[in-house]
Amino acid sequence: MKKVSLEVNGRKITKDIPDHTILSVLLRDILNLTGTHIGCDTSQCGACVVHIDGKSIKSCTTLAAEVNGSKVTTIEGLAKNGKMHPMQEAFKKMHGLQCGFCTPGMVMSAIDLLQNKKNPSDTEIRDWLEGNICRCTGYQNIVAAVKEAASKM
Amino acid sequence: MKKFNYHLVKDIKEAKKLSSPNSTFLAGGMTTIPSMKLGLGTYKDIIDIKGIKKLSGIKVSGKILKIGATTKHVEVANSKEVKKSIPSLAALAEGIGDPQVRNKGTIGGSIANNDPAADYPSACIALNASINTSNNRKIDSENFFRGLFETALKKGEIIESIEFEIPLKSNYQKFPNPASRYAIVGVYVSKYKSGTNVAVTGAKSCVYNDKDLSKALSNNFSSSAIDKVKISSSGMSSDIHASGNYRANMVKVFAKKAVEAC
Ligand SMILES: Cc1cc2nc3c(=O)[nH]c(=O)nc-3n(C[C@H](O)[C@H](O)[C@H](O)COP(=O)(O)OP(=O)(O)OC[C@H]3O[C@@H](n4cnc5c(N)ncnc54)[C@H](O)[C@@H]3O)c2cc1C
Ligand code: FES
Ligand code: FES
């Protein structure tokens, strides 16, 4: 067992967990933060993307013990005082989702893009979202949503 | 996933002490964790080497660019030193996988793994790299990459850093697998005063220096020199992505692209 302390969405937590606990499992099954989705579970699809100290990573391919002491932000941590994050607003406004399964990962990844590049081009958005697979939208509206968010953030 | 013990180590000594036939080192985990989930690897002890400070960092001294083993792809891609000394290497790092893979994956992990379609091994061969290890060995790239997922590393030996020789000019071009971005074929060309190296990845079961292309370009550094070289499809990988003949042809196409972009 390992004692793991994290700040998850601004809340400090400490848990005793088995060494082999994957971060996505800690978030979903132990902390009940089921907004982080698991699609492929082998680092291909991006449904599980969260931020560790502000940078996007795939939580299905990260051990909880590896990020001990870090700040974790999940999709549940984006809204402030009941108001959606501009990226969430933009996905809603531009119809950037259909079934919504890929959406938490898309949103977390896209926010990291805007942290790196303020006004990305369509190509830059598509390149950045390389690791996020969507089975529904055809991506067009996702790109439109990221552009919309870029204009607001 | 099967149970294991996780150890975060502070130095090489501690890592070596914990190392056993049932252990593995963990860097970015981008290969290790999925393969454990798929049952391709089972370990009793996972030794996380990311806490070893001296394994990370980027430094140029004279004609050598030295990169620590646990330096992440994103750090190489964004590094001012790398962009200035060997821009093609920064571009290679920027082209690996996706942003989340680059935020965790490391150069040492990529080289130790020696995936036949990985990008970094071609950079090592083309840029006359030597690989420094915890056994006080300095291994030439040509002797390091031994075969399919096989390297000269002994059990428990840790890559500490990679030293690249800064070329006059260089370029890397790949035909990426549209899903993973691994190279279906990747060609790294680098020109030195003493001659030109052409390293090829993705095409065969292990990265290699194409001696015929290297010789042709050493004599005449132009894409027309490549036209005259015959690339045999013998030994080329054949799979759902590309046949051996197609790969052989792509080696030429991408070698030309790389020379033209130099
Ligand atoms: C979706 C996806 C797409 C990818 N696309 C590409 C791509 O386009 N091009 C490409 O080249 N790669 C690609 N990769 C692989 C990626 O670059 C990995 O980062 C790399 O293969 C392994 O590095 P790591 O740091 O994650 O190593 P780990 O998974 O932690 O380790 C891999 C192996 O290396 C050993 N090891 C790690 N560090 C050391 C060291 N310092 N000394 C000795 N042994 C060590 C480990 O014990 C293990 O056996 C992709 C991976 C994924 C998941
Ligand atoms: S669930 Fe993590 S990348 Fe697919
Ligand atoms: S909205 Fe259904 S997978 Fe993207």
Side-chain angles (χ1 to χ4, degrees), chain A residues 36-49:
Chain A
T36 298
H37 291 168
I38 298 176
C40 64
D41 208 16
T42 47
S43 71
Q44 326 268 328
C45 76
C48 65
V49 171

Side-chain angles (χ1 to χ4, degrees), chain A:
Chain A
M1 296 292 272
K2 281 270 159 338
K3 191 183 277 305
V4 170
S5 300
L6 297 168
E7 191 182 312
V8 182
N9 299 332
R11 194 165 59 97
K12 289 201 166 67
I13 61 122
T14 297
K15 295 272 175 200
D16 285 307
I17 51 170
D19 288 28
H20 65 284
T21 308
I22 295 284
L23 179 59
S24 54
V25 172
L26 169 68
L27 293 172
R28 290 177 52 85
D29 298 354
I30 301 175
L31 302 177
N32 289 323
L33 294 169
T34 51
T36 298
H37 291 168
I38 298 176
C40 64
D41 208 16
T42 47
S43 71
Q44 326 268 328
C45 76
C48 65
V49 171
V50 301
H51 291 187
I52 299 293
D53 296 327
K55 295 203 175 78
S56 60
I57 55 103
K58 298 183 190 186
S59 63
C60 75
T61 313
T62 303
L63 299 175
E66 246 184 292
V67 296
N68 187 19
S70 317
K71 282 188 180 159
V72 185
T73 310
T74 70
I75 190 81
E76 290 94 340
L78 294 182
K80 292 279 169 302
N81 306 320
K83 202 173 167 309
M84 279 194 282
H85 185 281
M87 189 63 76
Q88 292 172 302
E89 286 281 4
F91 267 70
K92 182 171 171 233
K93 183 175 164 198
M94 306 309 286
H95 305 283
L97 63 145
Q98 286 179 28
C99 81
F101 195 84
C102 69
T103 316
M106 285 283 178
V107 167
M108 298 312 288
S109 185
I111 290 173
D112 195 15
L113 165 62
L114 297 190
Q115 287 171 173
N116 283 279
K117 191 141 196 111
K118 276 211 155 67
N119 284 301
S121 66
D122 283 24
T123 314
E124 285 167 332
I125 295 170
R126 284 176 187 276
D127 272 357
W128 184 275
L129 296 176
E130 169 68 30
N132 295 84
I133 294 173
C134 176
R135 298 257 87 169
C136 307
T137 62
Y139 301 97
Q140 212 66 31
N141 289 355
I142 292 175
V143 175
V146 179
K147 289 205 112 163
E148 164 76 12
S151 73
K152 297 275 156 65
M153 279 167 71

